[in-house]
Amino acid sequence: MEQTAPTRPGTKIGPKYFLFNLLNGVAIGIVAGLIPNAILGEILKALVPFHPVFTQLLHVTTAIQFAVPCLIGALVAYRLKFTPLGIAVVSAASFMGSGAVVLKGHTWVITGIGDLINTMFAAALASLMILFIGERFGSLNLIILPTFVAVLTGYIALHTLPYVKLVTSAIGHMVNSFTELQPIPMCILISLVYASIVISPISTAALSMAIGIEGLAAGSASIGIAAVEAVLTVGTLGVNRLGVPMTIFLGGVKMMLPNLVRHPIIFLPITTTAAVTGFVASLIGIGGTKESAGFGIIGLVGPINAFRFLGNGNFMIKTVLVALAFFVVPFITAIIAHFIYSKVLKLYDKEIFRFID
């Protein structure tokens, strides 16, 4: 039975319980906010010229992404069994701590989904403060929690934001340094880096836009993400209901973040598959843009841009090459890697891929 976290004074919960529910809330919040645009975005863009309704639908699916910080806060608080007031407070604190809204002149502007690492920090800080306060103030909590917890957490998180962003900057500098290498090692290394990032709270799309990754480097980034989607889709089949691998295949890889923290060995098939697919991508010449680099096969953004990058060659040959790089090689490699590591070497059991909602 799942542990309940009441908010009475003196309440103590284990750090593992707190961390797991924090990560689970973050993972589900990211998936809930980003999946609509990931699935429908490219389709709606193609349909926009045919009817104004598709433009409106595209605006809706795009705007849903901006709710990610609030969704993360709400779901973290929900996982910790907070009251509706506690859920609202953590949600508000996460939104402010994300840095998604900034003051430009006299106007507040939403700039995107913010920094997900700082969002997670804000959600954790607000949750810990609520657990500490508990019910000490009784009915006055209705005033104290929104006024002090939300405001104080938001204020602290806004001051940690510039330092947290340095993590993204450091990764960006590392990725840019790889672009100076020869094509094959460059593609493999960038594929490995993006495969590691996409399953973390860091946004690969935001990172790609920030560093302006292009060409073969962008294609390799997209291939690394496709490798993770393949590994987690294959891994979750058979131990979860069909909806879990389907969600992962459609872009919800971050929902497995709690599993990765509990079982870091999941990185083994991920890095193996990413290295192999990165190597193949370098031979084929898979490219992309900074807009497509952070998506992999999500919404077919990566394959579509890779197809364009291959130039004006034979349509069928280009289609086969793109399918080979994004689907055939990643999934076959993932299946082989899972078989070797779980059946032959017995390094892990498939139960490590069971998603706990």
Side-chain angles (χ1 to χ4, degrees):
M1 181 180 294
E2 186 175 303
Q3 181 182 347
T4 300
T7 54
R8 297 190 303 271
T11 295
K12 291 184 178 180
I13 62 174
K16 288 186 178 179
Y17 172 82
F18 181 84
L19 178 61
F20 173 75
N21 285 286
L22 172 67
L23 294 173
N24 192 278
V26 170
I28 298 175
I30 292 171
V31 171
L34 298 184
I35 276 290
N37 190 59
I39 296 175
L40 299 175
E42 290 300 309
I43 297 173
L44 292 172
K45 286 177 184 177
L47 295 174
V48 162
F50 297 100
H51 197 281
V53 69
F54 296 117
T55 301
Q56 296 172 344
L57 288 171
L58 180 60
H59 291 165
V60 170
T61 56
T62 302
I64 288 174
Q65 297 177 108
F66 303 145
V68 166
C70 292
L71 293 174
I72 288 175
L75 286 163
V76 168
Y78 172 78
R79 293 287 305 182
L80 292 171
K81 306 297 182 184
F82 285 172
T83 63
L85 176 62
I87 293 174
V89 169
V90 178
S91 181
S94 301
F95 177 68
M96 285 307 304
S98 70
V101 59
V102 296
L103 183 63
K104 294 186 177 180
H106 298 287
T107 306
W108 286 98
V109 179
I110 295 179
T111 60
I113 64 173
D115 189 291
L116 296 179
I117 296 179
N118 213 56
T119 301
M120 184 167 66
F121 167 73
L125 181 59
S127 298
L128 289 171
M129 291 177 68
I130 290 174
L131 287 169
F132 175 75
I133 292 173
E135 297 176 352
R136 285 184 171 85
F137 300 99
S139 59
L140 287 177
N141 270 358
L142 188 61
I143 298 172
I144 291 172
L145 295 187
T147 305
F148 293 100
V149 174
V151 173
L152 183 59
T153 301
Y155 177 80
I156 293 172
L158 283 179
H159 282 76
T160 62
L161 182 60
Y163 302 100
V164 172
K165 284 184 174 180
L166 292 176
V167 175
T168 304
S169 299
I171 295 173
H173 290 312
M174 178 177 64
V175 172
N176 280 328
S177 70
F178 293 156
T179 61
E180 300 175 3
L181 301 174
Q182 293 297 314
I184 291 178
M186 177 194 74
C187 291
I188 293 174
L189 288 172
I190 291 178
S191 178
L192 286 168
V193 170
Y194 268 74
S196 302
I197 293 173
V198 72
I199 200 172
S200 76
I202 299 174
S203 169
T204 51
L207 174 65
S208 302
M209 294 294 289
I211 65 178
I213 192 170
E214 295 281 354
L216 286 175
S220 302
S222 197
I223 283 292
I225 297 171
V228 178
E229 291 169 322
V231 169
L232 296 182
T233 298
V234 172
T236 52
L237 279 172
V239 292
N240 296 281
R241 288 178 293 181
L242 185 59
V244 173
M246 281 292 293
T247 301
I248 291 171
F249 179 77
L250 293 172
V253 294
K254 290 185 187 294
M255 66 189 288
M256 297 300 289
L257 177 58
N259 295 67
L260 183 67
V261 172
R262 282 186 166 186
H263 309 286
I265 199 169
I266 291 176
F267 266 124
L268 189 56
I270 285 177
T271 53
T272 301
T273 305
V276 172
T277 50
F279 174 74
V280 173
S282 70
L283 299 180
I284 294 174
I286 295 296
T289 65
K290 62 178 183 286
E291 290 83 9
S292 69
F295 288 93
I297 58 177
I298 302 169
L300 295 180
V301 176
I304 289 172
N305 280 273
F307 184 88
R308 294 171 181 165
F309 189 84
L310 289 175
N312 299 318
N314 182 277
F315 177 86
M316 186 58 65
I317 293 176
K318 288 166 61 177
T319 302
V320 170
L321 290 175
V322 170
L324 188 69
F326 280 92
F327 298 98
V328 178
V329 173
F331 279 89
I332 289 179
T333 305
I335 292 170
I336 294 173
H338 278 305
F339 177 78
I340 292 174
Y341 294 140
S342 64
K343 301 296 184 182
V344 179
L345 301 179
K346 299 187 184 301
L347 297 178
Y348 60 78
D349 186 88
K350 284 202 72 172
E351 283 298 312
I352 67 175
F353 293 96
R354 184 176 296 281
F355 174 69
I356 304 175
D357 56 18

